[in-house]
Amino acid sequence: MKEKTGMILAHAGEEYDQYFNAIVPPVFMNSLNIFPTVDEYYDSDKRDKHTYCYGRVQNPTVRILEEKITELEKGVESYVFSSGMAAATAAVLTACSCGGHVVCIRTAYGPLKDFLQNYCREHMNVRTTFIDGDDPKEIEEVLEDDTQLLMLESPSSVVFRVQDIKKAAEAAHAKGALVYIDNTFCTPIYQNPLELGADFVMHTASKYLGGHSDIIGGSLTVKDPELGKRVRTIREQIGSIIG
Ligand SMILES: *Cc1c(COP(=O)(O)O)cnc(C)c1O
């Protein structure tokens, strides 16, 4: 592990002066936060990363984890979810609208494919084209003018197929589509897809990030704050923040 990575894991996002310089950040168990006046509660312009209003929206302990993942993934913002699937579906709901089109690799995580093929098709009229993904030309060929999202997973579940992230992202962006990648198997230690052109990097924290088979969680990291705002809104409305 690189020295920088160790620093991120140990210190990133930890604002010691916010909790009496305790070296171990406290676990904030609260739901509601109080404000001096009702006006200050409603003043969304004044909100920053230290403004916490309600635990379904944001929590100081969750924020620390998000800052660490953001730095590890070399992104701008991360959002942590109650599971990897909560993160994956939030990306789909952020990027896709009624009647749109998704391109997804055939060996992607099964429940994600089920969500696309069943819920998204039936309730959103979103079509999905599944591809091998090994050849960038194949990706270029299946992208359509109304493709909204290209979903990669490299290496992919079970069989570890890999995609050329950079070429895939170039082709997708040329069509105006966003690029999502499940980076679970590489972890941020071995691959940072935002640097290769991806728009969303997803992790299930239930696997390598957690590392001990004792938690369920997921994350989305983005480099565009506008996209981050859309992800944050979906998480708030669906209520899928990690506990
Ligand atoms: C387990 C897994 C997921 C789903 O994560 P959950 O936390 O179980 O919802 C997504 N992608 C990959 C590659 C996985 O292995």
Side-chain angles (χ1 to χ4, degrees):
M1 204 190 294
K2 289 179 229 121
E3 202 181 316
K4 176 95 197 302
T5 308
M7 280 293 283
I8 293 171
L9 292 172
H11 298 297
E14 302 196 15
E15 296 163 287
Y16 301 104
D17 59 341
Q18 301 276 331
Y19 21 85
F20 305 103
N21 299 315
I23 195 103
V24 179
V27 178
F28 287 84
M29 305 277 289
N30 61 302
S31 56
L32 273 168
N33 301 70
I34 58 167
F35 289 75
T37 63
V38 172
D39 288 343
E40 283 175 66
Y41 173 75
Y42 282 113
D43 190 355
S44 56
D45 291 345
K46 285 224 185 86
R47 287 196 185 161
D48 64 13
K49 66 182 183 178
H50 294 121
T51 315
Y52 300 97
C53 58
Y54 186 48
R56 198 189 70 247
V57 180
Q58 190 53 285
N59 168 288
T61 316
V62 171
R63 166 63 68 184
I64 296 171
L65 176 57
E66 291 174 350
E67 304 263 333
K68 288 185 198 298
I69 294 173
T70 298
E71 288 203 29
L72 291 171
E73 275 298 359
K74 303 190 171 74
V76 171
E77 288 179 11
S78 297
Y79 293 94
V80 173
F81 292 82
S82 53
S83 70
M85 277 304 292
T89 52
V92 175
L93 295 176
T94 299
C96 296
S97 55
C98 260
H101 179 239
V102 172
V103 174
C104 180
I105 69 151
R106 197 167 281 130
T107 51
Y109 187 66
L112 172 68
K113 294 201 302 178
D114 287 346
F115 177 70
L116 292 169
Q117 278 173 306
N118 295 303
Y119 186 86
C120 294
R121 185 176 54 81
E122 286 168 19
H123 296 270
M124 295 167 68
N125 190 26
V126 166
R127 294 164 295 119
T128 302
T129 305
F130 290 100
I131 54 163
D132 286 341
D134 308 20
D135 181 358
K137 277 215 187 69
E138 180 200 19
I139 297 178
E140 225 170 288
E141 277 164 21
V142 297
L143 288 162
E144 297 176 21
D145 290 336
D146 62 352
T147 305
Q148 296 172 322
L149 188 61
L150 169 63
M151 305 197 81
L152 307 176
E153 190 176 309
S154 186
S156 71
S157 284
V158 187
V159 290
F160 298 150
R161 292 184 96 125
V162 294
Q163 299 101 58
D164 185 326
I165 300 165
K166 205 168 172 193
K167 285 202 178 129
E170 278 165 16
H173 291 155
K175 289 280 187 186
L178 293 169
V179 178
Y180 160 104
I181 178 163
D182 183 332
N183 200 31
T184 295
F185 282 102
C186 266
T187 80
I189 306 291
Y190 296 112
Q191 178 168 274
N192 294 129
L194 294 173
E195 292 190 322
L196 301 169
D199 300 290
F200 301 95
V201 172
M202 176 271 194
H203 283 279
T204 162
S206 322
K207 312 293 167 51
Y208 283 129
L209 284 197
H212 302 275
S213 301
D214 56 359
I215 62 156
I216 295 284
S219 68
L220 279 181
T221 305
V222 301
K223 59 192 173 193
D224 172 7
E226 274 308 304
L227 192 57
K229 201 169 164 192
R230 285 158 61 195
V231 171
R232 186 164 71 231
T233 303
I234 289 278
R235 185 182 69 172
E236 177 178 335
Q237 290 173 351
I238 291 191
S240 50
I241 193 169
I242 198 166

